[in-house]
Amino acid sequence: MSSFTVEADRFQTPTPDHLEAGRVVIAVVDGEITGVERAGTEAARALAEASADHRVLGDNQVLTPGFIDLHLHAPQWQQNGTALDLPLDEWLFTYTFPLEASFADRAVAEAVYPDLVATLLGHGTTTAAYLSSVHDEATAILAETCVAQGQRAFVGRVAMDHPTGTPDFYRDHDAVSGIDASRRSITDIAAIDAGRGLVRPIITPRFAPACTDEMLAGLGRLAEETGTLVQTHCSESDWEHNYAFERFGTSDTEALDAFGLLREHTLLAHANHVRPSDIDLIAERGAVIAHCPISNAYFANAVLPLPDALARGARVGLATDIGAGVRVGVFQQIHDAVTFSRIRQDGVDARKDPDARGVPDAAIDTVTGFWLATAGAAEAAGLPVGLLEPGRRFDAVVFDLDAPGGVIRHLALDDEARRFEKLVRLAGPHDIAEVWVDGVSVHRR
Ligand code: GUN
Ligand code: FE
């Protein structure tokens, strides 16, 4: 049994509009948080005194829940930061499918995945929902890497068989073999995790344009039969949104539902163009919008109507969408989500009248953004993390607010709300001193 206590200034957001700040003592036993007490109280002193391993963080250090990236493409890591000049459909065929195809060679996966996972941990990403490639071996290497480095993850072997929506050099041979490989990956990943509960499989039809009806229906049945989570892309761009109406006569969301893929905790990347009725269906099914602010700026042709999605009761979390997302840590995309929501509210065309330029009440603040990357995302994905409170697993990040090379200044002038805002807007990986997943220290600067 491993147990310790830690005293620290904690920031967390139990709801989209509530920041909780203050010094606490947290007790952790075998990765689970078993007690949290306000520092300075008798109960906190008792907790610390009973601990054989009590750690005290400094005044300019803060402890936050770990950050959850609800959607990213592991085999796109090498092109992150590049290749953003084409629209989505051309981007896939020109850059992305050829790159992902190179993961047929296990040596490529062995060279790329350990660096990706280590880099994400160093940015505070304690949980990642990965799309892998179509390859069994590379997918297993990704899952093994997450286990070896101690990152919580969903790992999805990508299924894609459509004869025109995929290139002949990178696709499943047919629906049957794609469904079989997806089924195999569920047992393979469960074996790699070996009961730790850290790395889980996730059924991953790439998106409707890349999958035949037979594939989509077969994966819907596989999800129902095995109870495995599902992830896919949904109504990302004008092109993808309109494609669904042309092919199915329904929206992308309704088509996914008809194929049995819109399930509780299904992760829908982007969903920028969903109609109000689609959001209601997503909410009814308990599915999730994985909001990818930077990727959307390049590929979505619009900004997600985020407050509307939340108001309608849909689950929403943040994601990077690496390699379309550019910025590596989902923590750093909190600020981007806030910024793009402000741009949506004000509008972009200065030649238009201010009243006709934007969308009223579209902006979110840093507290909501932080919630989307922690407690909101945890609830969305059905994971017992996202808050540092009893009963949750100890996934946490230690920030050093006066780290060398950092740009956070004048903290003595600030109250807790302003310290929080500075953290969210200004902190980078150089400010992260330590990262914990499941009670284990997985990264130290
Ligand atoms: N839609 C289908 N595949 C992809 C992908 O790799 N990235 C993005 N952004 N959208 C997709
Ligand atoms: Fe994506």
Side-chain angles (χ1 to χ4, degrees), residues 105-135:
D105 178 356
R106 65 173 290 140
V108 176
E110 283 166 346
V112 171
Y113 290 159
D115 175 60
L116 169 63
V117 173
T119 306
L120 290 175
L121 286 172
H123 282 69
T125 301
T126 50
T127 299
Y130 290 108
L131 289 86
S132 159
S133 54
V134 301
H135 312 106

Side-chain angles (χ1 to χ4, degrees), residues 71-73 76 131 233 236 269-270 292 295 321-322:
H71 178 87
L72 74 153
H73 298 261
Q76 295 174 20
L131 289 86
H233 298 83
E236 175 173 358
H270 310 288
C292 313
S295 167
D321 197 32
I322 286 169

Side-chain angles (χ1 to χ4, degrees), residues 330-361:
V330 73
F331 170 74
Q332 287 79 27
Q333 294 225 353
I334 296 171
H335 176 242
D336 301 314
V338 171
T339 303
F340 290 121
S341 79
R342 286 282 291 270
I343 293 172
R344 179 166 178 265
Q345 179 165 292
D346 280 352
V348 294
D349 187 351
R351 303 260 158 98
K352 282 194 177 148
D353 192 72
D355 293 338
R357 203 181 289 150
V359 180
D361 303 320

